[in-house]
Amino acid sequence: MTRDEDIRAYGFTALPRPMATLLAARKDPQPLTSLTISDVPLPSSPLVTAVLAYAKHELPIETFNHSMRVFYYGLAIARFGFPDLLSESWTTTYLLTSLLHDIGTTDTNISATLLSFEFYSGLLVLDVLKKEGAPKAMAESVAEAVIRHQDLGETGTITSIGAVVQLATIFGEARTNSVYLVRGEWGRQKCGVGASGDDCECHQCISADEVVKVLCAYDPEGA
């Protein structure tokens, strides 16, 4: 593919880095509807199968579940808010980013370097995806988004993969976030953490399979 085709296919298109600006600048947002994980099938390819197995093996279950939530939340955000981004190659690139964005946080990887985990994660991602035969542009897109997934700010731009993974990561960690105007509902189960075993919303007791609905909306009033 040409350079311009790689930029489009693998999510290098530049979007505003400030999240309020990003959400306000959406083109052709779609009407909000209920969405379950069965409506968001995982991309299917030998590369996806290999990276999914790698992530399951390397990540603690809590981190793996968080990574899968980031995928589902991000695809919902893209479907309703940025539908022009979606393609098979973009979705695959986003899935790989979701699966690998915290790979540098494992005990083994944290102790293997003095680099910040985001930077080390990016180096690991390039190596893993190269070994699994990912296109060079795809691997580089994943690595950049992984390195910048916590690079929030009020100036400049970020790749489309990076922008969506930031939105989804914040939503996955905060659940509701009026500052960034992302809203949703998620599955719950009783975990017994509280004295009465009330429903809780911690990473440890909500798996990706329990996500029942994800919505995103821009509300200029912030209400």
Side-chain angles (χ1 to χ4, degrees):
M1 292 195 295
T2 67
R3 181 181 179 87
D4 286 345
E5 289 171 337
D6 280 342
I7 289 171
R8 171 70 180 175
Y10 300 119
F12 275 105
T13 301
L15 294 178
R17 182 164 163 244
M19 289 197 176
T21 305
L22 169 67
L23 292 171
R26 293 177 305 164
K27 297 178 181 178
D28 193 28
Q30 300 300 299
L32 303 179
T33 60
S34 297
L35 188 66
T36 70
I37 59 172
S38 63
D39 299 316
V40 188
L42 295 180
S44 178
S45 70
L47 174 62
V48 167
T49 299
V51 174
L52 191 61
Y54 172 80
K56 284 182 176 179
H57 181 266
E58 295 294 327
L59 295 172
I61 186 61
E62 297 86 357
T63 308
F64 179 77
N65 285 340
H66 161 69
S67 298
M68 291 303 298
R69 287 195 301 273
V70 166
F71 171 72
Y72 287 116
Y73 293 157
L75 259 289
I77 289 168
R79 180 176 295 190
F80 295 125
F82 306 94
D84 59 310
L85 295 177
L86 294 176
S87 68
E88 182 177 353
S89 58
W90 190 97
T91 301
T92 298
T93 306
Y94 182 73
L95 172 60
L96 300 179
T97 302
S98 301
L99 288 171
L100 298 174
H101 75 282
D102 278 341
I103 195 66
T105 65
T106 66
D107 290 343
T108 298
N109 290 332
I110 281 287
S111 61
T113 183
L114 295 177
L115 287 169
S116 299
F117 86 88
E118 299 95 338
F119 288 91
Y120 192 56
S121 294
L123 296 177
L124 289 171
V125 162
L126 282 175
D127 185 55
V128 168
L129 295 182
K130 179 180 178 181
K131 289 179 179 177
E132 297 299 340
K136 180 174 180 287
M138 175 184 279
E140 291 177 349
S141 178
V142 175
E144 172 151 342
V146 166
I147 290 169
R148 296 191 65 189
H149 81 271
Q150 294 198 108
D151 182 25
L152 307 176
E154 294 303 314
T155 61
T157 60
I158 190 168
T159 68
S160 64
I161 294 289
V164 175
V165 81
Q166 282 189 354
L167 285 168
T169 301
I170 290 170
F171 183 49
E173 291 176 350
R175 299 299 192 271
T176 57
N177 194 319
S178 60
V179 174
Y180 295 115
L181 310 172
V182 180
R183 299 175 180 178
E185 300 178 19
W186 48 91
R188 300 182 180 185
Q189 71 176 26
K190 292 184 182 296
C191 69
V193 171
S196 62
D198 293 336
D199 286 355
C200 87
E201 298 163 3
C202 64
H203 289 325
Q204 288 76 15
C205 70
I206 303 177
S207 72
D209 289 340
E210 291 159 340
V211 177
V212 293
K213 185 188 293 184
V214 179
L215 305 176
C216 71
Y218 174 62
D219 177 359
E221 301 300 325

